[in-house]
Amino acid sequence: MNRNPLDKELQHISGMNTASQALVQRTAAPGLAILFLALVAMWASASVGQTPAAVVVVIGAIVAGYMALNIGANDVANNMGPAVGARALTMPAALLIAAICEAAGALLAGGDVVETVASDLLVGLNIAPASFVLVMISALLAAAMWVHLSTFIGAPVSTTHSIIGGVTGAGIAAAGLSAVSWTDIFIIAFGWVVSPIAGGAIAALLLFLTQVAITRRMDKLRAARTWVPVFVAVMAGTFAMYLADKGLQRVWTPSPFTTLTIGLLAALIGWAIAFSGVRRRSIELENRKKHVATLFRLPLILSAGLLSFSHGANDVANAIGPLAAIVSTLSHGTAEVGTDLPFWVLSIGAFGISVGLALFGPRLIRTVGEQITKLNEIRAFCAALSTGLTVLVASALGMPVSTTHIAIGAVFGIGFLREYRSRQEMMRKSVPIYARFVDPRELNATPEMAFANAREADHRRLIRRRSVYGIMGAWMVTLPCSAILAALVFFIVSKFAL
């Protein structure tokens, strides 16, 4: 059947429109990011005025804005990924909540940890102020480039470790190996191992407790009325202490007793509110696991928002800490790291994280929430609560850890627990009672049986190994790659600037 030439022409035009819309979508986000950096340059220029060092400050502000964009694109996925993967939040709602909470955390409570970005790492950096400024710019640019590359390939990495690697590499390039506190580097490296294991173990324990206490009971709703308020109380107390101890350091530094008291009061209030809400909500639900899981939806959303607030308060220093050091050095004429943050510097980090999240965050949010293991409201809540608990304990012990590693480790731990229990259930159903005392290798009596058992075991894998290996590989190379990149940037920039 011959087609009308007009139909062919209309189809051709429709295809061109579709292609042009796809092109616009691909170029809109980078274009808006460039617009944001242009606004950062104008904001920095207006803030510092006509000073001899204005050009250097503006360049540093642009690089800090670039780093903030990448933090929003990569790091925030750890907080919102489980909630989106569990279908508790849509992607637009997650982006909106995270953007508001990240900006609020950065503006209201951010900036107290700026000094730790470089002062704890560079102990022998006795160089001229101009070289110190180049060290900070090189560290920022290298860290931002590495996080950008990691986001492009879909690997969630620690932006804290990226900026630490950048400061270390640029410091070595400027003053040699003696400029670096290797003890702190080794402690940080030790945290790479401890933090994801601790996060995964605590998340798996929480999930196991919810299964024993609620989802594996005959009367799930009755059990939920008792235990969901308890889990909410633990969440409320944990995040209250977390915010008091770490998230609000810039405006308030409570004593350990005060922090504990705040946690207990928050837990009591959280339990009372959840007790009433769960009883009222459970009347409308059926005695099924899927329905009971919805009782964790609101606590999950609240925990994700609180994690975002705390993340903004703490990790904004990764973007604007070196910029603050640059501004202080140029103002006082001596290389300085510890300094108070001007509001215009803090605002670049706060809004940069939110803009980066909105423009580039969905890809990493899907990676964390959907491409590691399947999540529902209960599993995602356990992952979020595990992250808060692990960071709080590590903070109390004085151990530097990565929130990224803990959050991803929590999702891994949940997946591995589900897989283990699934395999155990398979063994109970498929292996006769008399065969349970036989060497498992003797069950593969024939090649066909071995193939069938291997295929069944593969079907029981509830966590994607490829995602695990890829993310762990990115973690291992983050600090050395950002350090090497920072050293190269410093050598290149110093050839033209010094």
Side-chain angles (χ1 to χ4, degrees):
M1 179 178 178
N2 294 329
R3 298 178 60 185
N4 190 306
L6 180 59
D7 292 338
K8 294 181 180 180
E9 186 68 22
L10 290 175
Q11 184 179 12
H12 178 67
I13 295 174
S14 177
M16 293 179 61
N17 289 335
T18 302
S20 63
Q21 289 175 2
L23 179 62
V24 169
Q25 291 176 354
R26 287 195 300 269
T27 57
L32 292 174
I34 293 173
L35 176 61
F36 170 76
L37 295 180
L39 294 175
V40 165
M42 291 187 290
W43 177 237
S45 178
S47 299
V48 298
Q50 299 296 325
T51 62
V55 175
V56 178
V57 173
V58 170
I59 293 174
I62 293 174
V63 178
Y66 176 46
M67 180 61 176
L69 288 173
N70 285 286
I71 292 176
N74 193 292
D75 229 12
V76 184
N78 308 312
N79 305 324
M80 287 296 165
V84 174
R87 305 295 188 270
L89 284 173
T90 62
M91 184 64 73
L95 293 175
L96 178 62
I97 293 173
I100 294 174
C101 292
E102 289 280 340
L107 291 173
L108 297 178
D112 188 70
V113 293
V114 169
E115 186 171 351
T116 64
V117 172
S119 62
D120 291 346
L121 299 175
L122 303 179
V123 294
L125 193 62
N126 187 17
I127 59 176
S131 295
F132 178 78
V133 169
L134 290 184
V135 167
M136 293 294 102
I137 292 179
S138 301
L140 260 181
L141 182 58
M145 292 169 65
W146 173 252
V147 178
H148 190 164
L149 175 62
S150 301
T151 304
F152 179 77
I153 64 177
V157 296
S158 171
T159 57
T160 302
H161 290 173
S162 299
I163 194 63
I164 287 174
V167 171
T168 301
I172 292 174
L177 295 173
S178 61
V180 178
S181 174
W182 293 106
T183 301
D184 289 313
I185 297 296
F186 290 140
I187 292 175
I188 292 168
F190 178 71
W192 291 346
V193 180
V194 173
S195 56
I197 293 176
I202 294 177
L205 176 62
L206 290 172
L207 180 60
F208 176 75
L209 291 176
T210 61
Q211 291 173 344
V212 172
I214 301 175
T215 58
R216 293 183 181 272
R217 296 289 185 92
M218 292 295 296
D219 192 346
K220 297 177 177 58
L221 287 176
R222 182 178 180 181
R225 295 186 189 104
T226 300
W227 287 104
V228 171
V230 173
F231 284 105
V232 172
V234 174
M235 180 203 77
T238 297
F239 283 104
M241 290 188 290
Y242 181 39
L243 291 174
D245 184 58
K246 290 184 68 67
L248 299 176
Q249 290 179 358
R250 185 168 178 250
V251 295
W252 182 42
T253 305
S255 65
F257 177 77
T258 303
T259 301
L260 181 60
T261 303
I262 291 172
L264 293 175
L265 289 175
L268 181 61
I269 294 172
W271 179 88
I273 295 174
F275 182 80
S276 174
V278 168
R279 285 189 173 274
R280 184 173 60 254
R281 178 78 177 87
S282 62
I283 298 175
E284 308 169 359
L285 302 178
E286 299 178 16
N287 189 36
R288 298 169 56 190
K289 180 179 178 181
K290 184 177 181 179
H291 286 237
V292 171
T294 61
L295 296 174
F296 287 85
R297 183 171 297 168
L298 182 58
L300 170 60
I301 294 172
L302 292 175
S303 64
L306 290 170
L307 278 176
S308 293
F309 182 91
S310 298
H311 177 269
N314 288 277
D315 282 20
V316 68
N318 295 336
I320 48 84
L323 175 60
I326 292 170
V327 174
S328 177
T329 298
L330 295 176
S331 299
H332 298 90
T334 58
E336 295 186 7
V337 176
T339 181
D340 293 331
L341 276 177
F343 175 78
W344 70 268
V345 173
L346 191 59
S347 64
I348 290 175
F351 293 111
I353 292 175
S354 297
V355 172
L357 167 67
L359 296 179
F360 307 105
R363 182 176 183 181
L364 267 296
I365 289 177
R366 292 190 182 95
T367 297
V368 175
E370 301 174 1
Q371 297 182 15
I372 297 177
T373 191
K374 186 178 180 180
L375 297 172
N376 61 11
E377 290 93 338
I378 297 177
R379 299 167 197 155
F381 173 80
C382 292
L385 181 55
S386 170
T387 302
L389 283 170
T390 307
V391 172
L392 181 65
V393 173
S395 176
L397 297 176
M399 180 183 297
V401 292
S402 168
T403 306
T404 300
H405 291 188
I406 294 172
I408 301 298
V411 178
F412 285 165
I414 287 171
F416 282 124
L417 176 65
R418 293 181 60 233
E419 185 174 302
Y420 172 77
R421 294 186 69 89
S422 178
R423 289 177 182 273
Q424 292 294 107
E425 185 178 352
M426 179 193 71
M427 290 294 294
R428 287 195 298 268
K429 291 181 179 179
S430 61
V431 179
I433 295 179
Y434 65 85
R436 295 179 186 176
F437 303 97
V438 180
D439 188 343
R441 290 173 294 182
E442 297 180 7
L443 299 178
N444 297 330
T446 65
E448 291 78 11
M449 291 177 62
F451 178 77
N453 289 334
R455 187 174 182 181
E456 178 65 22
D458 186 65
H459 287 166
R460 294 284 173 168
R461 289 188 173 186
L462 301 180
I463 187 169
R464 292 182 175 89
R465 265 51 174 185
R466 181 178 299 179
S467 297
V468 175
Y469 300 148
I471 292 173
M472 291 181 64
W475 288 355
M476 294 177 64
V477 301
T478 288
L479 194 149
C481 284
S482 57
I484 294 172
L485 189 57
L488 292 175
V489 171
F490 178 83
F491 283 129
I492 294 172
V493 174
S494 61
K495 294 295 183 182
F496 298 95
L498 296 179

